[in-house]
Amino acid sequence: MPAWLKNQMARAFANKDKYQIKMLNQCWYYYQHLYK
């Protein structure tokens, strides 16, 4: 997982921002799918 995504995730979890977490999860799955 890229550093920028880890930072965003940490921030989203710290803020308990469910919408942000969901967005980042989708982003991560998409990213993984692209770069397999």
Side-chain angles (χ1 to χ4, degrees):
M1 189 183 281
W4 62 268
L5 194 56
K6 273 187 197 160
N7 292 337
Q8 290 277 321
M9 274 291 200
R11 196 175 304 139
F13 276 108
N15 296 334
K16 296 191 172 40
D17 187 346
K18 288 192 170 67
Y19 177 75
Q20 181 82 357
I21 292 165
K22 202 191 297 179
M23 282 269 297
L24 289 166
N25 272 335
Q26 285 177 336
C27 187
W28 176 234
Y29 285 123
Y30 183 70
Y31 186 90
Q32 276 186 313
H33 189 74
L34 248 95
Y35 296 98
K36 274 195 176 153

